[in-house]
Every structure is written in structure tokens, then in C-alpha cells.
Amino acid sequence: MVVRNGLIEAVGENVPVPAEAWVVEGEGMTVYPGLIDSLSTVGIPGAAPAAANTAAGRGGGRGQATPAAPTTPAATPTPAVERARGPEDRPSTTSWVVAADELQTTDRRIESLRSGGFTTVATFPNRGIFAGQGSIIDLMSGEKAGEMVLVPSVGQYISLSRGGGGGGFPSALMGTISYIRQIYLDAAHYQLVKDAYAKDPRGIQRPQYDRALEGVLESKRILLPANRLVEIDRMLRFAAELKQPTILYGVRESYRSEAAELLKKSGTPVFISMRWPDAPRDANPDDVDSLRTLETRDLAASAPAVLQKAGVKFALYSDGLDQPRDIQRAVKKAIDAGLSREDAIRAMTLAPAQIYGVSDRIGSIEKGKIGNLIVTKGDLFDDRTKIEMIFVDGKKYTPAVEATPAGGRGPVTDDPGVNQ
């Protein structure tokens, strides 16, 4: 394999080695495509892990309580203020925010994930209902934020559990869904007015600029949360109503055959959280978990295998698991639950690249693609495997010391067509 100027120039058994090349002897090693975390908050200041939160945190999601309305002292009357009719009046909406513009290269998770074999992440703002637009970035260090960006905008992150404008609307699931629906109705009308004005502005009052609706219209796709079977069904119906390209994230109960059938029929891709549900560490021993809760804990890790068999497009995401060892254990649990090693590799490399429409640049080892690679001794899923080096945009990195022990590495790689 020849990598030049950050790109894969040639791949094959008898590729001529350029005279000026730095040669890495590969005896006993395996080269994999770099791993991709399909839903992350890496590099976003103050962002919480991108979890599949649903209303009230059902289905194993980590719900967030709606903040109470601020109180005003009785002696201080609130003056009546005429409100502007624009983005200021849209609670929990920052649809215009683009992750690429918010990146902080000092985020420690960049090195941690890269040490586990990740070379690329799709990172999203995630505060509010319409949180903002995600970006695909390469995990480089010591670079300007702009040099890390592969695709500036790949979709709008939508949450159902962080609503409530100071305790007001929307503060419940029904209100949040109504709010999202109204935003898209407003966006459609806004676009019609803009188009009419652009066609012939004479005699027509110019449309008022609305950055919230501009952000919605700019988004290529939306990401909607769903964990339980009923939520998967609900969000699929909602996506069809909105007529937006959609990815569901979380999908902990997609191990159920009914969920797999719904997803297959709709053709909707999903991102599966690798934070498999588990019993709380500080749980009251007298509390009795429901049968459904116990079943989900037991079977959630089998969801990837079920969806693979059903022919559903899916990828895995770390869901806040930043340590390579924790991610490796999560991948191993999915393999033990029936997912093949090859499909696990694909779910963290080529599959997310295809879902985001960037498989012409990353996700596999092919001529012309970006030089994002992992070099290992042994198969990454094996306990004794060691990552020797990582290449991001053709630049060589070595794993952090704490990520080097042979007890297991961050998730793994792509495509059976590995090069040795």
C-alpha cells in the first residue's frame, strides 16, 4: 500500500515502492481502515455524550429533567415586552449551529478515541430539541480545527427529552412532537415565500430572514431518537410525515423481530448505541425490575445481529464510551450475541460512511480514498491484540501509553479485504 499526500495512491500485492517512500515493514501486522464513530460529541465544548434520550428517558436512555420555570419576586413586576417573531421565539432550537464551527482541538477524547483505532467521527451539538448540524471530522492533533473537517454538515440532531422553554411549551413528549411538526410546516412555508420572492420580487414584501428555519432547510437529514419498539414505530411514522431523510439512533429494542421488520420495510438506517443497558450500580436491592427491563438488558447486544440478518442498514456508535477498552468490550458483547466479526468491522467503518454518503472518501482501503488506517498485531477483537500505529489523513500517530496494554483495544476495523 502506498500513501502519498494523505491519500491512498495504490493497493496490491506487487505495488511498486517509490524510491522516496518511508517503508513500514508489515510482517506479522494487519492494516485496517480507520474506525468511524457514527454519532459523537467529540470536540464540541460542553456537550454531553450523544445518547438516545427519549421523553422521560424511557427505554434505557438517560433522561434529563425539564428545568423548573424561573421565579420572579412578587415585588418586581415583569414589564410587557413585545416579542420579536424570529429565532428568539423558538425554544430549545439552535438549528443554525454547525459542529465544524464549534470544534475545540484540545478535547482529550480526540487522542483517547484515536488510540483505540478511531480515525473519524461524526460529531454533533446535542443541547435542545433542534440542537444543530453535525460534521464529519478526522481525529488529528495539533491542527487547526478547519483542517480536521471532512464534511461540514451531515444532518440535524433532534432530541425529544430536552424541551421546555423555561418551563413552558414544549415540556412534554406530545408538545415536543407538535413543536417539531410546526417547525417543518414553518420551514416549508418559509421556503415557498423565499422562492416566490426570488422569482419576481417586484411588488412583494421581502421575506424576513429566520436563521432557525434556514438551519432546518440546510440540513441534509435528521437524526431522531428511538429506543423502545413503540418509539421506533412512532418515529418511523413521524419521519414519513416530515418527509425528511432520517436516521434513527439508540434503537435498543431493535432486537425485537417486529422492530427489525418495521425498519426493513421503511428502509430507514439506524445507529445502534453500544452503551448496552445494565443495572444501575447504586440500585435499591428491594426494587424489582420489570420483565421488559430485564429482557432488554439481556438481549440489547443482539440487536446488530438481528438487524444484519433482516437486511437493515446500521452502524454502531460509542454513546459516550470514550475509553478504548470499554468500546472493545461493547463490540465483543455484540459479537458474542451473534454478530460476525466481519459485520462488526463493517458497522464501524464502511457502513457509517455509506449512511452518511461519504464512502467515496473513507470506510475502506481503496485507491484514491483518504489515508485513514490502523496497523495492528493480531485481530483487533482478540484480547492480546496491540495497535502499533494509526494513520489519519496519512499522518502517523502512536497509541497513548494507557491504551497500549494487551488486554484489549478500542473497536475494530473494516472490510474482509485487509492488507497485510
Side-chain angles (χ1 to χ4, degrees):
M1 181 188 311
V2 177
V3 178
R4 188 194 299 268
N5 296 326
L7 300 175
I8 299 174
E9 185 175 280
V11 180
E13 292 185 11
N14 299 307
V15 173
V17 180
E20 71 277 17
W22 165 50
V23 179
V24 177
E25 295 295 340
E27 183 178 358
M29 298 184 187
T30 305
V31 182
Y32 297 89
L35 301 181
I36 303 171
D37 192 346
S38 54
L39 179 54
S40 172
T41 60
V42 169
I44 305 299
N53 289 317
T54 54
R58 294 190 300 267
R62 290 164 290 167
Q64 178 172 326
T66 303
T71 58
T72 302
T76 308
T78 302
V81 178
E82 184 178 351
R83 300 280 293 185
R85 298 303 173 203
E88 307 92 317
D89 299 313
R90 303 188 190 280
S92 301
T93 294
T94 53
S95 57
W96 60 88
V97 172
V98 179
D101 297 333
E102 306 292 312
L103 288 179
Q104 289 188 351
T105 60
T106 55
D107 191 335
R108 294 181 180 179
R109 293 176 294 174
I110 293 174
E111 181 180 13
S112 178
L113 284 174
R114 188 177 61 229
S115 294
F118 285 89
T119 59
T120 308
V121 301
T123 187
F124 286 79
N126 71 340
R127 296 190 180 279
I129 298 175
F130 283 82
Q133 303 169 47
S135 306
I136 296 181
I137 64 171
D138 278 346
L139 299 180
M140 305 166 68
S141 293
E143 308 292 339
K144 295 180 180 179
E147 296 177 356
M148 300 171 64
V149 178
L150 180 60
V151 183
S153 177
V154 291
Q156 182 78 213
Y157 183 91
I158 296 178
S159 172
L160 300 181
S161 65
R162 299 186 176 107
F169 174 81
S171 59
L173 176 60
M174 183 178 295
T176 302
I177 290 178
S178 297
Y179 176 76
I180 296 170
R181 181 183 291 116
Q182 187 62 56
I183 287 285
Y184 276 99
L185 290 172
D186 291 349
H189 180 264
Y190 182 67
Q191 186 65 65
L192 286 174
V193 173
K194 287 180 61 178
D195 291 344
Y197 187 77
K199 185 176 182 181
D200 186 1
R202 292 173 297 181
I204 303 177
Q205 186 176 5
R206 70 179 183 274
Q208 183 178 358
Y209 175 78
D210 188 325
R211 65 175 178 174
L213 297 183
E214 290 284 351
V216 169
L217 292 174
E218 290 169 0
S219 302
K220 298 179 180 179
R221 57 181 64 82
I222 58 176
L223 279 68
L224 291 174
N227 273 318
R228 299 185 303 157
L229 173 60
V230 66
E231 294 166 349
I232 293 172
D233 185 26
R234 179 188 297 138
M235 289 299 102
L236 289 175
R237 293 173 185 269
F238 193 36
E241 176 189 338
L242 297 177
K243 298 180 181 179
Q244 299 294 317
T246 301
I247 301 170
L248 298 189
Y249 64 92
V251 293
R252 286 192 174 92
E253 285 194 11
S254 57
Y255 62 85
R256 297 184 182 278
S257 58
E258 303 96 316
E261 291 171 6
L262 287 171
L263 292 167
K264 174 62 176 177
K265 184 178 180 180
S266 71
T268 302
V270 299
F271 292 152
I272 305 174
S273 166
M274 288 194 290
R275 188 179 285 274
W276 311 120
D278 202 356
R281 293 182 178 180
D282 300 326
N284 187 335
D286 294 329
D287 290 343
V288 179
D289 293 316
S290 68
L291 178 61
R292 192 182 193 96
T293 297
L294 294 173
E295 182 183 54
T296 301
R297 289 176 188 164
D298 185 48
L299 297 177
S302 67
V306 171
L307 296 186
Q308 177 64 35
K309 185 176 180 180
V312 176
K313 294 181 181 179
F314 73 93
L316 300 174
Y317 73 99
S318 62
D319 200 355
L321 298 176
D322 299 327
Q323 296 304 312
R325 194 180 298 270
D326 293 336
I327 300 175
Q328 192 271 345
R329 291 193 185 107
V331 178
K332 187 64 165 58
K333 190 170 183 178
I335 293 174
D336 292 342
L339 186 66
S340 71
R341 288 175 180 262
E342 292 77 12
D343 289 332
I345 290 171
R346 182 174 294 272
M348 301 177 70
T349 51
L350 193 57
Q354 291 174 335
I355 291 172
Y356 280 123
V358 293
S359 59
D360 57 343
R361 283 163 274 185
I362 56 175
S364 59
I365 299 176
E366 297 179 56
K367 180 180 178 179
K369 290 193 176 184
I370 296 173
N372 291 348
L373 308 164
I374 318 168
V375 182
T376 72
K377 282 188 177 180
D379 294 331
L380 276 172
F381 294 127
D382 292 344
D383 292 339
R384 297 182 179 180
T385 293
K386 180 181 179 182
I387 294 180
E388 293 292 329
M389 59 191 82
I390 307 103
F391 291 87
V392 185
D393 275 18
K395 183 177 180 180
K396 177 179 175 288
Y397 297 89
T398 55
V401 175
E402 59 269 20
T404 303
R409 307 294 314 168
V412 173
T413 61
D414 174 307
D415 225 67
V418 296
N419 298 270
Q420 294 186 340

